[in-house]
Amino acid sequence: MNVGIIGYGSMGKMLADKFAVSGIRDLEQVFVTNRSKEKLGTAPAGVTVCGENRELAAKSDVVFVCVRPVDLLAIIKEITPSLKQDTLLVSLNGNISFEMIGQIAERKTAKVIPGLTAEINRSQSLVCYNESVTDEDKTCLKKLLGCIGNVIELPEKEMGMGSELVSCMPGFIASIFDVICKAAKKHTEIPDEQIVWMVLSTLSATGDLMLQKDMTFEEVVTRVATRGGITQEGTAVVYEKLPEVADELFEKTLAKRRMVAEETKKALGCNMEATDPSVILTKGK
């Protein structure tokens, strides 16, 4: 199995690095291309740099397209004639629907959204497939993505909320505990870095405890917050104040996601009409 990666930004580079050292038995070669050739000078040993996208497409059994939304359809249009019939096309952009891709190329296509924690091989990578993808293709992709963590299959319509829960969540968690640590500093002389270390270590251990013991959030609260105790005072504040914040968080992020998707559709519609009048992006018109 040969894997191609078009685009060597943060996500493309991460995938190339992980695939290169993964030891996946079926993985023979990893090919990469990038618009800026200078970036490819940092490609790890075991990764082959291709001169152009079509060359990469012709050599690959799975092609990851890791480019900006406005460039995605143009890249797919460029490489489609060079793709082998059974090649699996993988988009790393959630805003471009299978319907839109299908109007450019009727190919086996998947969408993948990895998380930041892929850097330590603990990503909760989201994946969805169009109707042409076979069970064998799914097994192949899951094997590849397994080297960066777990793989979660969702319907395409749920990829937005799924992204909030795994891809965006490290940012949400970091911001929440940043606020907590800053609040704690007002009430103690413990050094700032020690406060952060204590909270992060406890956070990590609590997550592992819940996963290993199959505990719910409520069970953890019950175990720690004894009736009439100190912890109960704190958890009562969280349950009273935080729901409103959490509701607003998801309302705003999902609204922003819809706005970005609509803007992307409009931009792509304009670009495609300017370059190829035969392509009509009906979705979102």
Side-chain angles (χ1 to χ4, degrees), residues 50-257:
C50 291
E52 60 179 26
N53 296 332
R54 288 187 292 269
E55 176 191 356
L56 178 147
K59 293 179 176 179
S60 301
D61 301 299
V62 180
V63 176
F64 290 84
V65 186
C66 311
V67 300
R68 300 180 306 164
V70 293
D71 297 326
L72 179 66
L73 294 184
I75 293 292
I76 292 176
K77 182 180 179 182
E78 174 193 357
I79 67 174
T80 295
S82 302
L83 291 172
K84 292 180 284 189
Q85 190 60 40
D86 287 335
T87 295
L88 177 63
L89 191 61
V90 183
S91 166
L92 266 74
N93 186 275
N95 289 328
I96 310 300
S97 68
F98 288 136
E99 180 182 351
M100 297 173 73
I101 293 173
Q103 294 184 41
I104 304 298
E106 294 184 359
R107 291 282 183 164
K108 297 187 295 185
T109 308
K111 291 199 288 187
V112 169
I113 301 178
L116 176 64
T117 50
E119 293 187 8
I120 60 169
N121 303 334
R122 293 183 66 180
S123 174
Q124 307 303 311
S125 299
L126 304 180
V127 61
C128 62
Y129 308 96
N130 73 358
E131 295 179 353
S132 300
V133 175
T134 66
D135 289 340
E136 184 178 354
D137 295 321
K138 294 179 181 181
T139 299
C140 173
L141 184 57
K142 288 178 180 178
K143 184 182 296 184
L144 285 171
L145 297 176
C147 75
I148 61 173
N150 297 323
V151 180
I152 302 170
E153 183 177 345
L154 292 176
E156 184 180 23
K157 67 178 182 179
E158 297 294 352
M159 290 289 276
M161 188 60 192
S163 297
E164 310 295 89
L165 295 174
V166 294
S167 181
C168 299
M169 193 54 67
F172 299 158
I173 291 172
S175 62
I176 289 169
F177 284 93
D178 185 33
V179 170
I180 289 174
C181 288
K182 286 176 178 176
K185 292 173 187 178
K186 301 174 184 178
H187 305 279
T188 182
E189 294 181 1
I190 299 174
D192 294 356
E193 63 274 13
Q194 189 171 357
I195 292 174
V196 172
W197 183 88
M198 291 165 69
V199 169
L200 286 179
S201 296
T202 305
L203 174 63
S204 177
T206 303
D208 287 341
L209 171 69
M210 293 180 65
L211 290 171
Q212 292 175 26
K213 299 291 187 179
D214 195 25
M215 298 175 70
T216 66
F217 292 112
E218 291 81 4
E219 287 172 336
V220 174
V221 172
T222 300
R223 288 279 299 275
V224 182
T226 56
R227 186 183 299 275
I230 295 170
T231 306
Q232 188 180 55
E233 287 293 315
T235 56
V237 173
V238 171
Y239 280 118
E240 179 184 354
K241 303 291 186 181
L242 195 56
E244 184 176 349
V245 174
D247 285 340
E248 185 175 358
L249 180 153
F250 287 118
E251 286 170 3
K252 288 196 172 183
T253 56
L254 290 171
K256 179 69 172 181
R257 188 176 295 278

